[in-house]
Amino acid sequence: MTVAFPAARTAIVTGAVSPRGIGRATARRLAAAGWDIGIIDLDDDASAEAASELAASFGVRAAGVGADVSDEAAVRAAVDGLESALPQIVALVNIAGISSPTPYLELEPGEWDRVIAVNLTGVHHVSRRVAESLAASGVGRIVSISSVSAQRGGGTYSKTPYSVAKAGVIGLTRALARELGPLGVTANAIAPGPIDTDIMGGTLTEERKAEMAADLLVGRIGTVDDVAVAVEFLLREDTGFITGHTLDVNGGLYMN
Ligand code: NAD
């Protein structure tokens, strides 16, 4: 049985503070589409500020709390807080992530652990807590950001542990789709190619963008809105037949 979306519904978006990032653009796009927004990012004040901005710009309800997604107790407390402050949680968008450009033979053990902890275990922590609420209400959407790096073994900026974590996100997504489907919850991943944000060692110069675009079929690297629109699509009530999917948003860099 399909449970309808409630009229007032909240999407939790992790990693939505970075001003030029995918998370901020996605939160704005979802707010414009009528979603109330709960933000989880590293800093409490910055998360609250990003939420206030959304509420002021789009007239939605929004709240933001600080938590490191790799810290399970902090994540549970953050989601508990957002759940009590906002309308029913219907969606989770896992966007928080870090880059890792270190070549394999120069990797320190700490870097491997840190990247897996944030980019994969962090997605699990937030998904696990939010899935409890979605399953209880019998309706929900989970979208997690993977990367073309998972499919091509790197090849953009970040290397080994990043590729491994992002490949893990695809496996996690498929396993969640299988287990949560009967409970009314879909789970999908998005695998972006290079997107113009600050995660690849700072703001990209025009030269770097042109170099990256050379491998792409559409003649340009991606924008944050290219990813945000894909998230919005997968969160819609009428896309509930899509689950376990990885949506490539990569300008043709890799064809699955
Ligand atoms: P960004 O650095 O602009 O944004 C990352 C956000 O995550 C920031 O707001 C940061 O504060 C937050 N964050 C980092 N670590 C966190 C933690 N431990 N707990 C909570 N929040 C944390 O980067 P972006 O380019 O917008 O990347 C967003 C996501 O998209 C990441 O998962 C990234 O791996 C993925 N991605 C980016 C690209 C790209 O080319 N930009 C390509 C493929 C995938």
Side-chain angles (χ1 to χ4, degrees), residues 14-25 39-43 46-47 65-71 75 94-100 114 117-119 122-123 126 144-149 156-158 162 166 169 190-200 204 212 221-222 224 227 249:
T14 73
V17 160
S18 172
R20 296 186 65 251
I22 293 168
R24 176 74 72 120
I39 290 175
I40 298 177
D41 205 299
L42 284 171
D43 184 78
S47 300
V65 283
D68 181 334
V69 293
S70 67
D71 177 342
V75 165
N94 286 301
I95 300 183
I98 53 175
S99 58
S100 172
R114 188 172 58 89
V118 174
N119 289 3
V123 175
V126 190
S144 304
I145 304 298
S146 176
S147 169
V148 71
S149 176
T156 52
Y157 175 73
S158 286
Y162 183 89
K166 293 298 188 181
V169 167
I190 293 173
I195 306 295
D196 183 11
T197 72
D198 297 334
I199 201 174
M200 289 178 277
L204 298 168
M212 289 179 183
I221 65 163
V224 289
V227 181
V249 180

Side-chain angles (χ1 to χ4, degrees), residues 18-36:
S18 172
R20 296 186 65 251
I22 293 168
R24 176 74 72 120
T26 299
R28 290 180 66 83
R29 185 154 199 126
L30 294 177
W35 288 88
D36 296 316

Side-chain angles (χ1 to χ4, degrees), residues 31-223:
W35 288 88
D36 296 316
I37 305 289
I39 290 175
I40 298 177
D41 205 299
L42 284 171
D43 184 78
D44 211 33
D45 290 345
S47 300
E49 214 171 285
S52 305
E53 200 184 289
L54 287 174
S57 302
F58 298 98
V60 298
R61 277 162 285 192
V65 283
D68 181 334
V69 293
S70 67
D71 177 342
E72 185 172 16
V75 165
R76 295 194 76 87
V79 177
D80 288 350
L82 293 174
E83 189 163 45
S84 59
L86 293 166
Q88 181 182 326
I89 300 172
V90 173
L92 165 64
V93 193
N94 286 301
I95 300 183
I98 53 175
S99 58
S100 172
T102 313
Y104 190 56
L105 295 178
E106 292 165 29
L107 257 190
E108 303 286 344
E111 180 160 1
W112 176 277
D113 292 344
R114 188 172 58 89
V115 175
I116 301 289
V118 174
N119 289 3
L120 177 56
T121 312
V123 175
H124 155 59
H125 287 150
V126 190
S127 298
R128 171 57 206 266
R129 169 60 189 85
V130 172
E132 292 170 16
S133 296
L134 302 181
S137 59
V139 61
R141 301 272 180 271
I142 299 174
V143 171
S144 304
I145 304 298
S146 176
S147 169
V148 71
S149 176
Q151 301 156 322
R152 295 178 77 229
T156 52
Y157 175 73
S158 286
K159 295 187 167 57
T160 325
Y162 183 89
S163 298
V164 170
K166 293 298 188 181
V169 167
I170 294 175
L172 175 63
T173 295
R174 292 176 179 176
L176 291 181
R178 186 173 296 281
E179 286 203 34
L180 302 179
L183 306 175
V185 179
T186 65
N188 292 288
I190 293 173
I195 306 295
D196 183 11
T197 72
D198 297 334
I199 201 174
M200 289 178 277
T203 301
L204 298 168
T205 60
E206 289 308 316
E207 290 90 317
R208 258 185 98 194
K209 283 196 251 183
E211 266 170 42
M212 289 179 183
D215 287 339
L216 275 62
L217 305 184
V218 298
R220 63 171 179 87
I221 65 163
T223 67

